[in-house]
Amino acid sequence: MLKSTGIVRKVDELGRVVIPIELRRTLGIGEKDALEIYVDGERIILKKYEPACIFSGNAEELIYFKGKMISKEVVKELIDLYNSMTNE
């Protein structure tokens, strides 16, 4: 469900839109924070980017591997899978 803030901003010549400080404070968005951009029909949705494991979606204990985030939990599962395959 969408909730209108009543705030309207124009897009500048470089395609930028300023998010008001009140909204950034409320949503915990700081300077240099990354935002994910989603499209839903004709809507553009911005969401604060929270890195997560590409397999489990877990955002805790992440390891950066070949450009992807993987949780330590998944790494352990992959090791177990590999070990079970090589011990046959």
Side-chain angles (χ1 to χ4, degrees), residues 9 16-18 20 33 37 42 47 49 53 62 67 69 84:
R9 292 288 188 259
R16 298 175 296 198
V17 177
V18 174
D33 281 353
I37 302 170
E42 294 183 4
K47 180 181 176 216
Y49 176 67
C53 175
L62 298 175
M69 300 301 284
S84 70

Side-chain angles (χ1 to χ4, degrees), residues 34-63:
L35 298 176
E36 284 186 278
I37 302 170
Y38 297 89
V39 176
D40 180 18
E42 294 183 4
R43 297 179 182 155
I44 298 170
I45 300 167
L46 301 176
K47 180 181 176 216
K48 185 174 177 179
Y49 176 67
E50 301 289 345
C53 175
I54 61 168
F55 296 109
S56 68
N58 187 350
E60 297 175 11
E61 296 187 306
L62 298 175
I63 297 169

